[in-house]
mmCIF file with all atom_site columns, all heavy atoms in Angstrom:
data_model
loop_
_atom_site.group_PDB
_atom_site.id
_atom_site.type_symbol
_atom_site.label_atom_id
_atom_site.label_alt_id
_atom_site.label_comp_id
_atom_site.label_asym_id
_atom_site.label_entity_id
_atom_site.label_seq_id
_atom_site.pdbx_PDB_ins_code
_atom_site.Cartn_x
_atom_site.Cartn_y
_atom_site.Cartn_z
_atom_site.occupancy
_atom_site.B_iso_or_equiv
_atom_site.pdbx_formal_charge
_atom_site.auth_seq_id
_atom_site.auth_comp_id
_atom_site.auth_asym_id
_atom_site.auth_atom_id
_atom_site.pdbx_PDB_model_num
ATOM 1   N N   . ALA S 1 27 ? 16.641 -13.959 2.695  1.00 90.00 ? 39 ALA S N   1
ATOM 2   C CA  . ALA S 1 27 ? 16.424 -13.120 3.905  1.00 90.00 ? 39 ALA S CA  1
ATOM 3   C C   . ALA S 1 27 ? 15.684 -13.920 5.006  1.00 90.00 ? 39 ALA S C   1
ATOM 4   O O   . ALA S 1 27 ? 16.010 -13.794 6.212  1.00 90.00 ? 39 ALA S O   1
ATOM 5   C CB  . ALA S 1 27 ? 15.612 -11.911 3.552  1.00 90.00 ? 39 ALA S CB  1
ATOM 6   N N   . LEU S 1 28 ? 14.828 -14.834 4.641  1.00 92.00 ? 40 LEU S N   1
ATOM 7   C CA  . LEU S 1 28 ? 13.994 -15.482 5.595  1.00 92.00 ? 40 LEU S CA  1
ATOM 8   C C   . LEU S 1 28 ? 14.750 -16.732 6.228  1.00 92.00 ? 40 LEU S C   1
ATOM 9   O O   . LEU S 1 28 ? 14.440 -17.172 7.280  1.00 92.00 ? 40 LEU S O   1
ATOM 10  C CB  . LEU S 1 28 ? 12.661 -15.970 5.034  1.00 92.00 ? 40 LEU S CB  1
ATOM 11  C CG  . LEU S 1 28 ? 11.774 -14.834 4.509  1.00 92.00 ? 40 LEU S CG  1
ATOM 12  C CD1 . LEU S 1 28 ? 10.495 -15.374 3.893  1.00 92.00 ? 40 LEU S CD1 1
ATOM 13  C CD2 . LEU S 1 28 ? 11.442 -13.901 5.656  1.00 92.00 ? 40 LEU S CD2 1
ATOM 14  N N   . THR S 1 29 ? 15.704 -17.258 5.530  1.00 89.00 ? 41 THR S N   1
ATOM 15  C CA  . THR S 1 29 ? 16.416 -18.421 6.044  1.00 89.00 ? 41 THR S CA  1
ATOM 16  C C   . THR S 1 29 ? 17.612 -18.077 6.888  1.00 89.00 ? 41 THR S C   1
ATOM 17  O O   . THR S 1 29 ? 18.241 -18.933 7.491  1.00 89.00 ? 41 THR S O   1
ATOM 18  C CB  . THR S 1 29 ? 16.857 -19.395 4.837  1.00 89.00 ? 41 THR S CB  1
ATOM 19  O OG1 . THR S 1 29 ? 17.706 -18.614 3.977  1.00 89.00 ? 41 THR S OG1 1
ATOM 20  C CG2 . THR S 1 29 ? 15.688 -19.896 4.155  1.00 89.00 ? 41 THR S CG2 1
ATOM 21  N N   . ASN S 1 30 ? 18.028 -16.841 6.944  1.00 81.00 ? 42 ASN S N   1
ATOM 22  C CA  . ASN S 1 30 ? 19.232 -16.465 7.659  1.00 81.00 ? 42 ASN S CA  1
ATOM 23  C C   . ASN S 1 30 ? 18.984 -16.144 9.142  1.00 81.00 ? 42 ASN S C   1
ATOM 24  O O   . ASN S 1 30 ? 19.975 -15.882 9.842  1.00 81.00 ? 42 ASN S O   1
ATOM 25  C CB  . ASN S 1 30 ? 19.851 -15.204 7.008  1.00 81.00 ? 42 ASN S CB  1
ATOM 26  C CG  . ASN S 1 30 ? 20.541 -15.503 5.687  1.00 81.00 ? 42 ASN S CG  1
ATOM 27  O OD1 . ASN S 1 30 ? 20.954 -16.600 5.481  1.00 81.00 ? 42 ASN S OD1 1
ATOM 28  N ND2 . ASN S 1 30 ? 20.549 -14.502 4.810  1.00 81.00 ? 42 ASN S ND2 1
ATOM 29  N N   . PHE S 1 31 ? 17.766 -16.252 9.596  1.00 86.00 ? 43 PHE S N   1
ATOM 30  C CA  . PHE S 1 31 ? 17.457 -15.892 10.993 1.00 86.00 ? 43 PHE S CA  1
ATOM 31  C C   . PHE S 1 31 ? 17.553 -17.081 11.877 1.00 86.00 ? 43 PHE S C   1
ATOM 32  O O   . PHE S 1 31 ? 16.783 -18.030 11.735 1.00 86.00 ? 43 PHE S O   1
ATOM 33  C CB  . PHE S 1 31 ? 16.126 -15.232 11.119 1.00 86.00 ? 43 PHE S CB  1
ATOM 34  C CG  . PHE S 1 31 ? 16.163 -13.750 10.869 1.00 86.00 ? 43 PHE S CG  1
ATOM 35  C CD1 . PHE S 1 31 ? 15.874 -13.346 9.545  1.00 86.00 ? 43 PHE S CD1 1
ATOM 36  C CD2 . PHE S 1 31 ? 16.447 -12.872 11.877 1.00 86.00 ? 43 PHE S CD2 1
ATOM 37  C CE1 . PHE S 1 31 ? 15.967 -11.947 9.254  1.00 86.00 ? 43 PHE S CE1 1
ATOM 38  C CE2 . PHE S 1 31 ? 16.461 -11.498 11.600 1.00 86.00 ? 43 PHE S CE2 1
ATOM 39  C CZ  . PHE S 1 31 ? 16.264 -11.071 10.269 1.00 86.00 ? 43 PHE S CZ  1
ATOM 40  N N   . ARG S 1 32 ? 18.531 -17.091 12.785 1.00 91.00 ? 44 ARG S N   1
ATOM 41  C CA  . ARG S 1 32 ? 18.565 -18.132 13.799 1.00 91.00 ? 44 ARG S CA  1
ATOM 42  C C   . ARG S 1 32 ? 17.296 -18.044 14.664 1.00 91.00 ? 44 ARG S C   1
ATOM 43  O O   . ARG S 1 32 ? 16.830 -16.901 14.893 1.00 91.00 ? 44 ARG S O   1
ATOM 44  C CB  . ARG S 1 32 ? 19.827 -17.989 14.690 1.00 91.00 ? 44 ARG S CB  1
ATOM 45  C CG  . ARG S 1 32 ? 21.102 -18.195 13.967 1.00 91.00 ? 44 ARG S CG  1
ATOM 46  C CD  . ARG S 1 32 ? 22.299 -18.282 14.933 1.00 91.00 ? 44 ARG S CD  1
ATOM 47  N NE  . ARG S 1 32 ? 22.335 -17.213 15.921 1.00 91.00 ? 44 ARG S NE  1
ATOM 48  C CZ  . ARG S 1 32 ? 22.873 -15.999 15.834 1.00 91.00 ? 44 ARG S CZ  1
ATOM 49  N NH1 . ARG S 1 32 ? 23.458 -15.672 14.695 1.00 91.00 ? 44 ARG S NH1 1
ATOM 50  N NH2 . ARG S 1 32 ? 22.824 -15.151 16.837 1.00 91.00 ? 44 ARG S NH2 1
ATOM 51  N N   . PRO S 1 33 ? 16.811 -19.071 15.237 1.00 94.00 ? 45 PRO S N   1
ATOM 52  C CA  . PRO S 1 33 ? 15.641 -19.034 16.112 1.00 94.00 ? 45 PRO S CA  1
ATOM 53  C C   . PRO S 1 33 ? 15.770 -18.044 17.197 1.00 94.00 ? 45 PRO S C   1
ATOM 54  O O   . PRO S 1 33 ? 14.782 -17.368 17.592 1.00 94.00 ? 45 PRO S O   1
ATOM 55  C CB  . PRO S 1 33 ? 15.491 -20.485 16.588 1.00 94.00 ? 45 PRO S CB  1
ATOM 56  C CG  . PRO S 1 33 ? 16.054 -21.306 15.527 1.00 94.00 ? 45 PRO S CG  1
ATOM 57  C CD  . PRO S 1 33 ? 17.254 -20.504 14.943 1.00 94.00 ? 45 PRO S CD  1
ATOM 58  N N   . SER S 1 34 ? 16.937 -17.900 17.786 1.00 93.00 ? 46 SER S N   1
ATOM 59  C CA  . SER S 1 34 ? 17.127 -16.957 18.890 1.00 93.00 ? 46 SER S CA  1
ATOM 60  C C   . SER S 1 34 ? 16.940 -15.470 18.516 1.00 93.00 ? 46 SER S C   1
ATOM 61  O O   . SER S 1 34 ? 16.783 -14.650 19.359 1.00 93.00 ? 46 SER S O   1
ATOM 62  C CB  . SER S 1 34 ? 18.455 -17.145 19.556 1.00 93.00 ? 46 SER S CB  1
ATOM 63  O OG  . SER S 1 34 ? 19.489 -16.895 18.577 1.00 93.00 ? 46 SER S OG  1
ATOM 64  N N   . LEU S 1 35 ? 17.031 -15.189 17.188 1.00 94.00 ? 47 LEU S N   1
ATOM 65  C CA  . LEU S 1 35 ? 16.933 -13.841 16.723 1.00 94.00 ? 47 LEU S CA  1
ATOM 66  C C   . LEU S 1 35 ? 15.492 -13.469 16.303 1.00 94.00 ? 47 LEU S C   1
ATOM 67  O O   . LEU S 1 35 ? 15.216 -12.329 16.163 1.00 94.00 ? 47 LEU S O   1
ATOM 68  C CB  . LEU S 1 35 ? 17.872 -13.580 15.575 1.00 94.00 ? 47 LEU S CB  1
ATOM 69  C CG  . LEU S 1 35 ? 19.367 -13.726 15.828 1.00 94.00 ? 47 LEU S CG  1
ATOM 70  C CD1 . LEU S 1 35 ? 20.142 -13.462 14.593 1.00 94.00 ? 47 LEU S CD1 1
ATOM 71  C CD2 . LEU S 1 35 ? 19.774 -12.779 16.892 1.00 94.00 ? 47 LEU S CD2 1
ATOM 72  N N   . ARG S 1 36 ? 14.669 -14.439 16.042 1.00 95.00 ? 48 ARG S N   1
ATOM 73  C CA  . ARG S 1 36 ? 13.352 -14.172 15.401 1.00 95.00 ? 48 ARG S CA  1
ATOM 74  C C   . ARG S 1 36 ? 12.440 -13.369 16.230 1.00 95.00 ? 48 ARG S C   1
ATOM 75  O O   . ARG S 1 36 ? 11.630 -12.601 15.660 1.00 95.00 ? 48 ARG S O   1
ATOM 76  C CB  . ARG S 1 36 ? 12.702 -15.546 15.083 1.00 95.00 ? 48 ARG S CB  1
ATOM 77  C CG  . ARG S 1 36 ? 13.534 -16.251 13.997 1.00 95.00 ? 48 ARG S CG  1
ATOM 78  C CD  . ARG S 1 36 ? 13.045 -17.654 13.784 1.00 95.00 ? 48 ARG S CD  1
ATOM 79  N NE  . ARG S 1 36 ? 13.946 -18.323 12.777 1.00 95.00 ? 48 ARG S NE  1
ATOM 80  C CZ  . ARG S 1 36 ? 13.887 -19.543 12.504 1.00 95.00 ? 48 ARG S CZ  1
ATOM 81  N NH1 . ARG S 1 36 ? 13.081 -20.375 13.119 1.00 95.00 ? 48 ARG S NH1 1
ATOM 82  N NH2 . ARG S 1 36 ? 14.687 -20.085 11.592 1.00 95.00 ? 48 ARG S NH2 1
ATOM 83  N N   . GLY S 1 37 ? 12.530 -13.436 17.508 1.00 96.00 ? 49 GLY S N   1
ATOM 84  C CA  . GLY S 1 37 ? 11.660 -12.593 18.388 1.00 96.00 ? 49 GLY S CA  1
ATOM 85  C C   . GLY S 1 37 ? 12.430 -11.450 19.070 1.00 96.00 ? 49 GLY S C   1
ATOM 86  O O   . GLY S 1 37 ? 11.822 -10.751 19.938 1.00 96.00 ? 49 GLY S O   1
ATOM 87  N N   . ALA S 1 38 ? 13.660 -11.226 18.691 1.00 94.00 ? 50 ALA S N   1
ATOM 88  C CA  . ALA S 1 38 ? 14.463 -10.192 19.350 1.00 94.00 ? 50 ALA S CA  1
ATOM 89  C C   . ALA S 1 38 ? 14.254 -8.832  18.627 1.00 94.00 ? 50 ALA S C   1
ATOM 90  O O   . ALA S 1 38 ? 13.969 -8.755  17.448 1.00 94.00 ? 50 ALA S O   1
ATOM 91  C CB  . ALA S 1 38 ? 15.968 -10.532 19.208 1.00 94.00 ? 50 ALA S CB  1
ATOM 92  N N   . LYS S 1 39 ? 14.213 -7.769  19.470 1.00 93.00 ? 51 LYS S N   1
ATOM 93  C CA  . LYS S 1 39 ? 14.046 -6.437  18.984 1.00 93.00 ? 51 LYS S CA  1
ATOM 94  C C   . LYS S 1 39 ? 15.246 -5.590  19.292 1.00 93.00 ? 51 LYS S C   1
ATOM 95  O O   . LYS S 1 39 ? 15.475 -5.201  20.465 1.00 93.00 ? 51 LYS S O   1
ATOM 96  C CB  . LYS S 1 39 ? 12.759 -5.793  19.527 1.00 93.00 ? 51 LYS S CB  1
ATOM 97  C CG  . LYS S 1 39 ? 12.418 -4.483  18.939 1.00 93.00 ? 51 LYS S CG  1
ATOM 98  C CD  . LYS S 1 39 ? 11.270 -3.791  19.607 1.00 93.00 ? 51 LYS S CD  1
ATOM 99  C CE  . LYS S 1 39 ? 10.011 -4.568  19.479 1.00 93.00 ? 51 LYS S CE  1
ATOM 100 N NZ  . LYS S 1 39 ? 8.841  -3.797  19.999 1.00 93.00 ? 51 LYS S NZ  1
ATOM 101 N N   . PRO S 1 40 ? 16.076 -5.278  18.289 1.00 89.00 ? 52 PRO S N   1
ATOM 102 C CA  . PRO S 1 40 ? 17.221 -4.428  18.604 1.00 89.00 ? 52 PRO S CA  1
ATOM 103 C C   . PRO S 1 40 ? 16.777 -3.022  19.015 1.00 89.00 ? 52 PRO S C   1
ATOM 104 O O   . PRO S 1 40 ? 15.714 -2.568  18.681 1.00 89.00 ? 52 PRO S O   1
ATOM 105 C CB  . PRO S 1 40 ? 18.004 -4.346  17.252 1.00 89.00 ? 52 PRO S CB  1
ATOM 106 C CG  . PRO S 1 40 ? 17.269 -5.169  16.270 1.00 89.00 ? 52 PRO S CG  1
ATOM 107 C CD  . PRO S 1 40 ? 16.035 -5.638  16.883 1.00 89.00 ? 52 PRO S CD  1
ATOM 108 N N   . ARG S 1 41 ? 17.594 -2.371  19.841 1.00 87.00 ? 53 ARG S N   1
ATOM 109 C CA  . ARG S 1 41 ? 17.318 -1.022  20.310 1.00 87.00 ? 53 ARG S CA  1
ATOM 110 C C   . ARG S 1 41 ? 17.049 -0.126  19.105 1.00 87.00 ? 53 ARG S C   1
ATOM 111 O O   . ARG S 1 41 ? 17.784 -0.174  18.113 1.00 87.00 ? 53 ARG S O   1
ATOM 112 C CB  . ARG S 1 41 ? 18.489 -0.481  21.098 1.00 87.00 ? 53 ARG S CB  1
ATOM 113 C CG  . ARG S 1 41 ? 18.155 0.858   21.690 1.00 87.00 ? 53 ARG S CG  1
ATOM 114 C CD  . ARG S 1 41 ? 19.267 1.366   22.581 1.00 87.00 ? 53 ARG S CD  1
ATOM 115 N NE  . ARG S 1 41 ? 20.038 0.321   23.099 1.00 87.00 ? 53 ARG S NE  1
ATOM 116 C CZ  . ARG S 1 41 ? 21.333 0.371   23.464 1.00 87.00 ? 53 ARG S CZ  1
ATOM 117 N NH1 . ARG S 1 41 ? 21.996 1.523   23.266 1.00 87.00 ? 53 ARG S NH1 1
ATOM 118 N NH2 . ARG S 1 41 ? 21.988 -0.640  23.990 1.00 87.00 ? 53 ARG S NH2 1
ATOM 119 N N   . GLY S 1 42 ? 15.923 0.596   19.132 1.00 89.00 ? 54 GLY S N   1
ATOM 120 C CA  . GLY S 1 42 ? 15.588 1.540   18.078 1.00 89.00 ? 54 GLY S CA  1
ATOM 121 C C   . GLY S 1 42 ? 14.676 0.943   17.005 1.00 89.00 ? 54 GLY S C   1
ATOM 122 O O   . GLY S 1 42 ? 14.169 1.730   16.200 1.00 89.00 ? 54 GLY S O   1
ATOM 123 N N   . SER S 1 43 ? 14.519 -0.326  17.066 1.00 92.00 ? 55 SER S N   1
ATOM 124 C CA  . SER S 1 43 ? 13.604 -0.952  16.053 1.00 92.00 ? 55 SER S CA  1
ATOM 125 C C   . SER S 1 43 ? 12.174 -1.051  16.600 1.00 92.00 ? 55 SER S C   1
ATOM 126 O O   . SER S 1 43 ? 11.962 -1.437  17.704 1.00 92.00 ? 55 SER S O   1
ATOM 127 C CB  . SER S 1 43 ? 14.070 -2.357  15.733 1.00 92.00 ? 55 SER S CB  1
ATOM 128 O OG  . SER S 1 43 ? 13.132 -2.975  14.826 1.00 92.00 ? 55 SER S OG  1
ATOM 129 N N   . PRO S 1 44 ? 11.205 -0.662  15.788 1.00 94.00 ? 56 PRO S N   1
ATOM 130 C CA  . PRO S 1 44 ? 9.809  -0.795  16.236 1.00 94.00 ? 56 PRO S CA  1
ATOM 131 C C   . PRO S 1 44 ? 9.315  -2.237  16.179 1.00 94.00 ? 56 PRO S C   1
ATOM 132 O O   . PRO S 1 44 ? 8.290  -2.518  16.801 1.00 94.00 ? 56 PRO S O   1
ATOM 133 C CB  . PRO S 1 44 ? 9.053  0.133   15.293 1.00 94.00 ? 56 PRO S CB  1
ATOM 134 C CG  . PRO S 1 44 ? 9.878  0.181   14.047 1.00 94.00 ? 56 PRO S CG  1
ATOM 135 C CD  . PRO S 1 44 ? 11.315 0.010   14.456 1.00 94.00 ? 56 PRO S CD  1
ATOM 136 N N   . HIS S 1 45 ? 9.978  -3.129  15.451 1.00 96.00 ? 57 HIS S N   1
ATOM 137 C CA  . HIS S 1 45 ? 9.486  -4.468  15.213 1.00 96.00 ? 57 HIS S CA  1
ATOM 138 C C   . HIS S 1 45 ? 10.546 -5.547  15.328 1.00 96.00 ? 57 HIS S C   1
ATOM 139 O O   . HIS S 1 45 ? 11.751 -5.267  15.090 1.00 96.00 ? 57 HIS S O   1
ATOM 140 C CB  . HIS S 1 45 ? 8.806  -4.561  13.827 1.00 96.00 ? 57 HIS S CB  1
ATOM 141 C CG  . HIS S 1 45 ? 7.731  -3.619  13.624 1.00 96.00 ? 57 HIS S CG  1
ATOM 142 N ND1 . HIS S 1 45 ? 6.550  -3.668  14.278 1.00 96.00 ? 57 HIS S ND1 1
ATOM 143 C CD2 . HIS S 1 45 ? 7.668  -2.495  12.847 1.00 96.00 ? 57 HIS S CD2 1
ATOM 144 C CE1 . HIS S 1 45 ? 5.748  -2.693  13.882 1.00 96.00 ? 57 HIS S CE1 1
ATOM 145 N NE2 . HIS S 1 45 ? 6.357  -2.020  13.012 1.00 96.00 ? 57 HIS S NE2 1
ATOM 146 N N   . THR S 1 46 ? 10.152 -6.696  15.662 1.00 97.00 ? 58 THR S N   1
ATOM 147 C CA  . THR S 1 46 ? 10.993 -7.908  15.668 1.00 97.00 ? 58 THR S CA  1
ATOM 148 C C   . THR S 1 46 ? 10.970 -8.490  14.235 1.00 97.00 ? 58 THR S C   1
ATOM 149 O O   . THR S 1 46 ? 10.035 -8.255  13.528 1.00 97.00 ? 58 THR S O   1
ATOM 150 C CB  . THR S 1 46 ? 10.537 -8.961  16.679 1.00 97.00 ? 58 THR S CB  1
ATOM 151 O OG1 . THR S 1 46 ? 9.272  -9.459  16.198 1.00 97.00 ? 58 THR S OG1 1
ATOM 152 C CG2 . THR S 1 46 ? 10.428 -8.380  18.077 1.00 97.00 ? 58 THR S CG2 1
ATOM 153 N N   . PRO S 1 47 ? 11.917 -9.357  13.899 1.00 97.00 ? 59 PRO S N   1
ATOM 154 C CA  . PRO S 1 47 ? 11.833 -10.064 12.621 1.00 97.00 ? 59 PRO S CA  1
ATOM 155 C C   . PRO S 1 47 ? 10.494 -10.857 12.518 1.00 97.00 ? 59 PRO S C   1
ATOM 156 O O   . PRO S 1 47 ? 9.908  -10.893 11.409 1.00 97.00 ? 59 PRO S O   1
ATOM 157 C CB  . PRO S 1 47 ? 13.036 -11.008 12.681 1.00 97.00 ? 59 PRO S CB  1
ATOM 158 C CG  . PRO S 1 47 ? 14.006 -10.265 13.518 1.00 97.00 ? 59 PRO S CG  1
ATOM 159 C CD  . PRO S 1 47 ? 13.148 -9.616  14.638 1.00 97.00 ? 59 PRO S CD  1
ATOM 160 N N   . TRP S 1 48 ? 10.057 -11.477 13.559 1.00 98.00 ? 60 TRP S N   1
ATOM 161 C CA  . TRP S 1 48 ? 8.775  -12.251 13.518 1.00 98.00 ? 60 TRP S CA  1
ATOM 162 C C   . TRP S 1 48 ? 7.607  -11.309 13.116 1.00 98.00 ? 60 TRP S C   1
ATOM 163 O O   . TRP S 1 48 ? 6.787  -11.716 12.300 1.00 98.00 ? 60 TRP S O   1
ATOM 164 C CB  . TRP S 1 48 ? 8.552  -12.926 14.819 1.00 98.00 ? 60 TRP S CB  1
ATOM 165 C CG  . TRP S 1 48 ? 7.156  -13.474 14.920 1.00 98.00 ? 60 TRP S CG  1
ATOM 166 C CD1 . TRP S 1 48 ? 6.138  -13.010 15.752 1.00 98.00 ? 60 TRP S CD1 1
ATOM 167 C CD2 . TRP S 1 48 ? 6.578  -14.577 14.202 1.00 98.00 ? 60 TRP S CD2 1
ATOM 168 N NE1 . TRP S 1 48 ? 5.011  -13.773 15.540 1.00 98.00 ? 60 TRP S NE1 1
ATOM 169 C CE2 . TRP S 1 48 ? 5.275  -14.768 14.561 1.00 98.00 ? 60 TRP S CE2 1
ATOM 170 C CE3 . TRP S 1 48 ? 7.096  -15.416 13.236 1.00 98.00 ? 60 TRP S CE3 1
ATOM 171 C CZ2 . TRP S 1 48 ? 4.446  -15.720 14.075 1.00 98.00 ? 60 TRP S CZ2 1
ATOM 172 C CZ3 . TRP S 1 48 ? 6.296  -16.425 12.715 1.00 98.00 ? 60 TRP S CZ3 1
ATOM 173 C CH2 . TRP S 1 48 ? 4.948  -16.564 13.128 1.00 98.00 ? 60 TRP S CH2 1
ATOM 174 N N   . GLU S 1 49 ? 7.561  -10.181 13.762 1.00 98.00 ? 61 GLU S N   1
ATOM 175 C CA  . GLU S 1 49 ? 6.504  -9.259  13.452 1.00 98.00 ? 61 GLU S CA  1
ATOM 176 C C   . GLU S 1 49 ? 6.530  -8.809  11.989 1.00 98.00 ? 61 GLU S C   1
ATOM 177 O O   . GLU S 1 49 ? 5.468  -8.777  11.288 1.00 98.00 ? 61 GLU S O   1
ATOM 178 C CB  . GLU S 1 49 ? 6.533  -7.970  14.337 1.00 98.00 ? 61 GLU S CB  1
ATOM 179 C CG  . GLU S 1 49 ? 6.212  -8.294  15.772 1.00 98.00 ? 61 GLU S CG  1
ATOM 180 C CD  . GLU S 1 49 ? 6.541  -7.176  16.688 1.00 98.00 ? 61 GLU S CD  1
ATOM 181 O OE1 . GLU S 1 49 ? 7.520  -6.410  16.491 1.00 98.00 ? 61 GLU S OE1 1
ATOM 182 O OE2 . GLU S 1 49 ? 5.796  -6.989  17.719 1.00 98.00 ? 61 GLU S OE2 1
ATOM 183 N N   . ILE S 1 50 ? 7.657  -8.615  11.478 1.00 98.00 ? 62 ILE S N   1
ATOM 184 C CA  . ILE S 1 50 ? 7.837  -8.234  10.009 1.00 98.00 ? 62 ILE S CA  1
ATOM 185 C C   . ILE S 1 50 ? 7.467  -9.370  9.087  1.00 98.00 ? 62 ILE S C   1
ATOM 186 O O   . ILE S 1 50 ? 6.706  -9.134  8.164  1.00 98.00 ? 62 ILE S O   1
ATOM 187 C CB  . ILE S 1 50 ? 9.238  -7.690  9.715  1.00 98.00 ? 62 ILE S CB  1
ATOM 188 C CG1 . ILE S 1 50 ? 9.460  -6.374  10.511 1.00 98.00 ? 62 ILE S CG1 1
ATOM 189 C CG2 . ILE S 1 50 ? 9.407  -7.461  8.266  1.00 98.00 ? 62 ILE S CG2 1
ATOM 190 C CD1 . ILE S 1 50 ? 10.883 -5.823  10.449 1.00 98.00 ? 62 ILE S CD1 1
ATOM 191 N N   . LEU S 1 51 ? 7.931  -10.554 9.403  1.00 98.00 ? 63 LEU S N   1
ATOM 192 C CA  . LEU S 1 51 ? 7.551  -11.664 8.534  1.00 98.00 ? 63 LEU S CA  1
ATOM 193 C C   . LEU S 1 51 ? 6.036  -11.870 8.572  1.00 98.00 ? 63 LEU S C   1
ATOM 194 O O   . LEU S 1 51 ? 5.464  -12.073 7.484  1.00 98.00 ? 63 LEU S O   1
ATOM 195 C CB  . LEU S 1 51 ? 8.231  -12.982 9.048  1.00 98.00 ? 63 LEU S CB  1
ATOM 196 C CG  . LEU S 1 51 ? 7.806  -14.264 8.338  1.00 98.00 ? 63 LEU S CG  1
ATOM 197 C CD1 . LEU S 1 51 ? 7.986  -14.201 6.844  1.00 98.00 ? 63 LEU S CD1 1
ATOM 198 C CD2 . LEU S 1 51 ? 8.564  -15.473 8.973  1.00 98.00 ? 63 LEU S CD2 1
ATOM 199 N N   . GLU S 1 52 ? 5.417  -11.906 9.714  1.00 98.00 ? 64 GLU S N   1
ATOM 200 C CA  . GLU S 1 52 ? 4.020  -12.151 9.788  1.00 98.00 ? 64 GLU S CA  1
ATOM 201 C C   . GLU S 1 52 ? 3.223  -11.002 9.086  1.00 98.00 ? 64 GLU S C   1
ATOM 202 O O   . GLU S 1 52 ? 2.231  -11.239 8.410  1.00 98.00 ? 64 GLU S O   1
ATOM 203 C CB  . GLU S 1 52 ? 3.564  -12.270 11.205 1.00 98.00 ? 64 GLU S CB  1
ATOM 204 C CG  . GLU S 1 52 ? 3.531  -13.689 11.730 1.00 98.00 ? 64 GLU S CG  1
ATOM 205 C CD  . GLU S 1 52 ? 2.487  -14.540 11.052 1.00 98.00 ? 64 GLU S CD  1
ATOM 206 O OE1 . GLU S 1 52 ? 1.318  -14.534 11.434 1.00 98.00 ? 64 GLU S OE1 1
ATOM 207 O OE2 . GLU S 1 52 ? 2.905  -15.193 10.045 1.00 98.00 ? 64 GLU S OE2 1
#
Side-chain angles (χ1 to χ4, degrees):
L40 298 177
T41 58
N42 288 332
F43 277 92
R44 294 189 315 271
S46 61
L47 298 179
R48 295 171 182 171
K51 186 186 296 187
R53 187 177 331 151
S55 174
H57 302 292
T58 67
W60 169 249
E61 289 169 327
I62 293 171
L63 171 58
E64 269 295 275

